[in-house]
Amino acid sequence: QIVLTQSPAIMSASLGERVTMTCTASSSVSSSYLHWYQQKPGSSPKLWIYSTSNLASGVPARFSGSGSGTSYSLTISSMEAEDAATYYCHQYHRSFTFGSGTKLEIK
Amino acid sequence: QVQLKESGPGLVAPSQSLSITCTVSGFSLTDYGVSWIRQPPGKGLEWLGVIWGGGSTYYNSALKSRLSISKDNSKSQVFLKMNSLQTDDTAMYYCAKHDGAPYYFDYWGQGTTLTVSS
């Protein structure tokens, strides 16, 4: 099965700062099948970005996703307080796997 | 609107079996797949298995021998059964709906906590 490695595991950003986190796959993943979720403490994960670059309903435009093959990223153009959360990447290629998550904190 | 709600025993003794129910509304189980995902306390997400609209199932290879997923379309319920539970099976268990071919999870339940302890 494909292993997804997210980096960094933990990061902190100042309000207004540009943030980028990455998701690296052990083998090539179709960009259609690479997705991101946001999870806040005590809540279920929420679909955030689907098929690499499409924002889920209600996700602010400051978020974007990109990538192909084995390398994918999630970017926040200008950090806001409500963006503090853990972000997980997720892929489907014969089976489903999640990355280990990037915890984003406010500096 | 689409909703999923998990219900389970809460506490199970080691070596015993687990049965959790996911009751859905707002969509038909014959049209969409539902997966089970778990999250140990303070840790990440682990996909367990899926039951597709047609009833076929697919499991995490590491847990396949211990898992069984089934459903009752008429009752809009999906069932997860896991045997030989150990303490490291302690986790929040979620069910989540798939949205067609890209296979992302567009709706999640609130989760049900399972503690494996004597």
Side-chain angles (χ1 to χ4, degrees):
Chain A
Q1 66 178 16
I2 293 179
V3 175
L4 298 178
T5 302
Q6 291 188 244
S7 61
I10 305 174
M11 65 185 303
S12 60
S14 302
L15 297 182
E17 183 178 347
R18 183 181 181 87
V19 172
T20 297
M21 60 187 72
T22 65
C23 175
T24 302
S26 58
S27 298
S28 184
V29 175
S30 168
S31 60
S32 296
Y33 297 151
L34 191 289
H35 319 295
W36 295 86
Y37 302 84
Q38 181 197 67
Q39 186 179 34
K40 294 188 175 182
S43 295
S44 307
K46 294 180 180 178
L47 178 66
W48 213 245
I49 297 174
Y50 64 94
S51 301
T52 297
S53 60
N54 298 283
L55 302 185
S57 177
V59 174
R62 62 182 178 273
F63 283 85
S64 63
S66 64
S68 65
T70 60
S71 183
Y72 294 85
S73 64
L74 180 155
T75 297
I76 307 171
S77 60
S78 179
M79 175 76 178
E80 295 197 9
E82 65 179 12
D83 301 336
T86 301
Y87 294 85
Y88 293 94
C89 58
H90 160 234
Q91 69 81 34
Y92 171 73
H93 176 74
R94 300 182 181 177
S95 183
F96 297 93
T97 54
F98 288 96
S100 53
T102 290
K103 184 176 183 180
L104 175 59
E105 301 173 332
I106 300 172
K107 188 183 294 182
Chain B
Q1 71 278 28
V2 172
Q3 291 186 324
L4 301 93
K5 186 172 184 179
E6 305 87 345
S7 56
L11 176 66
V12 176
S15 79
Q16 298 300 301
S17 298
L18 160 73
S19 182
I20 302 177
T21 299
C22 174
T23 302
V24 310
S25 59
F27 70 98
S28 172
L29 290 176
T30 60
D31 293 332
Y32 294 96
V34 171
S35 271
W36 287 97
I37 298 138
R38 70 179 180 181
Q39 185 171 36
K43 296 188 178 181
L45 302 167
E46 180 180 31
W47 176 77
L48 301 179
V50 59
I51 187 162
W52 297 111
S56 59
T57 55
Y58 192 72
Y59 301 105
N60 182 323
S61 57
L63 297 166
K64 183 177 182 179
S65 62
R66 300 170 54 209
L67 288 176
S68 175
I69 299 175
S70 60
K71 64 176 178 170
D72 184 330
N73 293 329
S74 65
K75 294 184 177 180
S76 295
Q77 292 181 321
V78 179
F79 309 104
L80 172 71
K81 295 186 178 181
M82 181 183 296
N83 56 33
S84 304
L85 291 171
Q86 300 302 321
T87 55
D88 59 3
D89 292 313
T90 293
M92 180 73 80
Y93 285 74
Y94 297 101
C95 58
K97 170 186 170 289
H98 286 270
D99 186 38
Y103 301 127
Y104 51 78
F105 306 116
D106 56 352
Y107 292 92
W108 295 64
Q110 63 190 20
T112 185
T113 299
L114 172 73
T115 301
V116 181
S117 174
S118 55

